[in-house]
Amino acid sequence: MPSAAGTASGRLPFVVWVLAAGTFLMGTTEFVVAGLLPEMAGDLHVSVSRAGLLITAFAIGMIVGGPGMALTTLRLPQRRTMVLALAVFALGHVVAALSNSFTVLLIARVVTALATGAFWAVGFVIATAAAGPGNSTRAVSVMMGGLTLANVVGVPIGSLAGQFTGWRGPFWALAVLSGLAAVFVGRFIPTVGRRAEVSVRAEVRALRQGRLWLALAAAVLIMGGVLATYTYIAPLLTDRAGVAESAVPLVLIAFGVGALGGNAIGGRLGESHPMATTITAAAATALTLFLLIPLSDSPVAAIALVFLMALTGFTVNPVVTSLAVRFAGDAPTLTSALTTSAYNTGIAAGSALAGTALNSSLGLTGPVLVGTVSAALTLLPLSALTLGARRRPARIVAQRTPARERREADAPVTSTH
């Protein structure tokens, strides 16, 4: 793995940008289906609500499959894992593009999500190691920026392309591009051999830390808060704020730009002031969402607050991700996968609660209220992390030599109670 020496000037290694390109493709495939649902439903002879299971299946595959794939590929060299993940990702899109069966397409989406989970888990580890301790949060923000850019650029382009080529066209494009990404990843990720010094036992042992679960809880809550509002932002803008339906995509682009800015801010400030950055950003997100409830009847105020919601909310993400990987010490792969699962859990839970609130007496402001509460609750785990950091220095776990690991594995188990 490249050392951090090459990043002393503040420049990130090229491999980080290659990994960001991979996350761009995977972020595009996760959300592009939303813009293609009506056509896919008609072509596959299913209802639109049933076709929506293609999005749910991908999210479940990411939540459950990410940690599983991280442990399954733990003993493989990192480069081989990344190339295999992209190859399976490409194959899944080929199968989807060729299939006329909704069931086959659903299975292909799950397999694709498993590959995505493996890519994210190992990719975060590679990016932070390549960037070095002084730039690890920036490296994470760049990788997550690829996902955000997918929502700003990839998803709209994919949806537009699908109108001209049919829904299969974007799937073919993603298959080809992920194949090219596999070539680049194989070229720029150095061979580091087998990761024998990191065992399943060490990875699981890293999960014993309360700090780690606090960081994961913050990831769930902040993403749930922002996405609860974002999922139903279109009816809020058109029916309450009076924004023209044709202008909604422009507001969504503004949201994406804000998210990109938030990732960049988190990457810059999170390395030197992680807790101050996350607590300030989470509090600002909760305040922004709270103000959106009474001010969403004004189009100017609503658009401005949507931008600020993304700017402040996405500032938290790269910092808590970097903290989680850092807490895991020399066993970060499973932790990285769990971070990805945490974000997808936030997306799924936030969207579900927002849908329930929308159908209640709260109406259009219901999802915003759910988002406000979730963002405010993010302050609880972040405050606990801050207090814990003041009491004692960070303890890195799982830093053990292979010989020590073998001795521990052979030693009899004794009770600690």
Side-chain angles (χ1 to χ4, degrees), residues 209 211-212 215-216 319-329 331-332 335-336 339:
Q209 295 193 87
R211 298 177 305 162
L212 171 61
L216 293 176
V319 187
V320 294
T321 301
S322 181
L323 285 174
V325 173
R326 191 180 306 168
F327 291 156
T335 297
S336 180
T339 305

Side-chain angles (χ1 to χ4, degrees), residues 109-143:
R109 288 284 289 175
V110 174
V111 172
T112 302
L114 294 178
T116 301
F119 183 93
W120 273 78
V122 180
F124 276 135
V125 176
I126 294 173
T128 53
N135 288 310
S136 60
T137 305
R138 279 188 60 207
V140 170
S141 75
V142 168
M143 274 197 67

Side-chain angles (χ1 to χ4, degrees), residues 201-389:
R201 181 179 178 181
E203 292 283 341
V204 174
R205 183 170 54 246
L207 304 184
R208 296 175 181 175
Q209 295 193 87
R211 298 177 305 162
L212 171 61
W213 294 102
L214 289 173
L216 293 176
V220 171
L221 290 168
I222 194 66
M223 185 58 71
V226 174
L227 267 295
T229 304
Y230 179 77
T231 300
Y232 297 100
I233 199 65
L236 182 75
L237 291 172
T238 56
D239 298 346
R240 182 171 170 82
V243 175
E245 187 174 345
S246 58
V248 170
L250 297 178
V251 180
L252 299 185
I253 291 175
F255 175 91
V257 172
L260 278 175
N263 267 305
I265 293 171
R268 288 287 181 180
L269 299 181
E271 199 67 58
S272 56
H273 306 287
M275 302 320 304
T277 300
T278 51
I279 288 178
T280 301
T285 304
L287 178 61
T288 300
L289 289 169
F290 177 75
L291 291 176
L292 187 59
I293 296 175
L295 299 180
S296 56
D297 56 357
S298 165
V300 174
I303 293 171
L305 290 171
V306 167
F307 170 80
L308 289 174
M309 170 183 73
L311 182 71
T312 56
F314 278 80
T315 297
V316 179
N317 296 349
V319 187
V320 294
T321 301
S322 181
L323 285 174
V325 173
R326 191 180 306 168
F327 291 156
D330 286 346
T333 308
L334 180 58
T335 297
S336 180
L338 286 172
T339 305
T340 305
S341 297
Y343 288 125
N344 280 275
T345 300
I347 292 172
S351 300
L353 290 174
T356 301
L358 180 68
N359 293 326
S360 71
S361 59
L362 296 171
L364 293 172
T365 60
V368 187
L369 180 59
V370 171
T372 302
V373 173
S374 185
L377 289 175
T378 308
L379 294 171
L380 296 179
L382 292 177
S383 298
L385 279 173
T386 302
L387 292 174

